[in-house]
Amino acid sequence: MKVLYPTNVDRAPDVPDDVELARFDPRAPIPAEHHDAEVLVSWGSTTELMRAAAGQLTKLRWVQGLAAGPDDILAADFPDGVRISTGRSLHDDTVAEHALALILGGLRGLNLLVAAQPEHTWRADLGGPRVEQADGRLETLAGANVLIWGFGAIAERLAPMLTALGARVTGVARSAGRRAGYPVIATESLPGALPGTDVLVMILPSAADTRDALNAELLALLPSRAWLVNVGRGTTVDEDALADALRANSIAGAALDVFRTEPLPAESPLWDLPNVIITPHTAGGRPRAAAALFAENLAAYRAGRPLRNEITR
């Protein structure tokens, strides 16, 4: 059995002696001598290269993605007989920490302070003694209402961090209930919750039913003090409607790590809005414990058992 394992993952997994582990550059075409691989581990490749691999690897039976979601792999259109599993859980810590950094950065105006630093400008309007929320801005998570839309594993890691800082956390998912000790409302109840939301965190996957999920109608329900943070997928936010809301100051700001088109085009109005924080899809970027996940799934694959994070198509 030949396994293609990407060179941009630090540690290669331990594999049985009868498994050939071939390292490959995921940013380059797969060499012809490896087109006989049975297993492909995918991380950081382009959709075009993955589509090419789908046609070239004629003996392929399993693709192990290291991203949290399967959308990039599914876009490559691998044959129906190829099993697909994802890297869900590998990015929980880093994405949760990045989301927290974006929230605090927005509330504390770090984007404005950093922008003023090269000009040697002392932003006295953002510091010194003043009455809390006299200008309508929310500056602390203490007592804030945080709504996390897409309450999965990453949200379960993020929510206790927010709680520790005094926030009241509510999740949004397909069905209502309690998860990891937090109240979760159903998606259809979201409009009623938005007017009381201080921070809306989006961790939705890319899917047909999540495209432009946050649209102009829902944005209009958020209060002017609210911040939007998106660390899920860029396709889930109507960027044109968001830019309109930000220009009108109908919401306080947005901290965005993901975008409809990546890299974010230079002509996007989001670049020039002062109440926007942009990071280049860097919340995850480093699959933690990837070797352990692959070794676990390799054993399951060879034994004919279900794979961890396996998806159905």
Side-chain angles (χ1 to χ4, degrees):
M1 174 191 297
K2 179 181 285 187
V3 173
L4 290 175
Y5 201 84
T7 54
N8 58 350
V9 180
D10 290 341
R11 189 174 73 84
D14 295 325
V15 297
D17 293 339
D18 60 342
V19 174
E20 178 187 353
L21 196 71
R23 302 301 294 268
F24 77 103
D25 180 356
R27 292 291 181 175
I30 295 175
E33 63 265 29
H34 295 321
H35 287 180
D36 59 344
E38 183 175 339
V39 180
L40 171 65
V41 179
S42 171
W43 176 240
S45 189
T46 66
T47 300
E48 290 73 19
L49 288 173
M50 290 291 283
R51 283 183 181 144
Q56 294 165 342
L57 305 183
T58 57
K59 296 184 179 180
L60 191 68
R61 296 295 178 267
W62 167 35
V63 178
Q64 170 68 67
L66 299 183
D71 39 300
D72 290 343
I73 297 175
L74 293 177
D77 198 25
F78 285 94
D80 290 341
V82 176
R83 300 170 72 178
I84 294 175
S85 54
T86 73
R88 184 178 185 272
S89 80
L90 301 183
H91 304 271
D92 294 357
D93 292 342
T94 53
V95 176
E97 289 173 4
H98 196 82
L100 179 61
L102 291 177
I103 294 169
L104 292 173
L107 295 185
R108 303 301 298 182
L110 293 187
N111 56 313
L112 302 175
L113 297 172
V114 169
Q117 186 172 335
E119 305 299 325
H120 298 191
T121 300
W122 185 269
R123 289 293 302 266
D125 57 315
L126 298 177
R130 61 196 183 282
V131 178
E132 185 177 2
Q133 294 194 42
D135 55 2
R137 290 194 303 119
L138 181 71
E139 298 179 274
T140 179
L141 278 171
N145 292 319
V146 179
L147 200 60
I148 304 179
W149 191 358
F151 204 86
I154 294 171
E156 291 180 7
R157 182 74 179 93
L158 173 62
M161 300 178 185
L162 299 170
T163 299
L165 293 174
R168 294 184 289 267
V169 179
T170 302
V172 183
R174 295 183 188 275
S175 58
R178 292 191 71 85
R179 297 187 186 181
Y182 290 90
V184 176
I185 63 173
T187 306
E188 54 264 28
S189 300
L190 177 64
L194 290 176
T197 297
D198 297 308
V199 179
L200 173 61
V201 182
M202 297 190 63
I203 320 179
L204 287 175
S206 178
D209 61 349
T210 63
R211 186 170 186 83
D212 291 340
L214 185 63
N215 53 27
E217 181 181 356
L218 293 180
L219 281 164
L221 296 176
L222 285 166
S224 59
R225 67 180 181 278
W227 270 80
L228 166 67
V229 173
N230 190 7
V231 291
R233 287 293 183 264
T235 56
T236 64
V237 174
D238 182 337
E239 289 182 0
D240 295 330
L242 174 60
D244 289 342
L246 291 164
R247 277 191 289 258
N249 292 314
S250 62
I251 63 172
L256 310 169
D257 185 57
V258 290
F259 304 89
R260 186 167 49 201
T261 300
E262 295 180 358
L264 182 64
E267 63 271 18
S268 170
L270 295 172
W271 285 112
D272 298 315
L273 293 170
N275 50 349
V276 174
I277 298 174
I278 290 173
T279 58
H281 203 144
T282 189
R286 50 199 72 78
R288 306 184 71 237
L293 172 64
F294 177 73
E296 176 187 335
N297 267 352
L298 179 63
Y301 172 79
R302 287 164 64 91
R305 301 193 306 268
L307 306 174
R308 179 176 158 194
N309 302 337
E310 185 167 6
I311 66 168
T312 56
R313 292 186 284 168

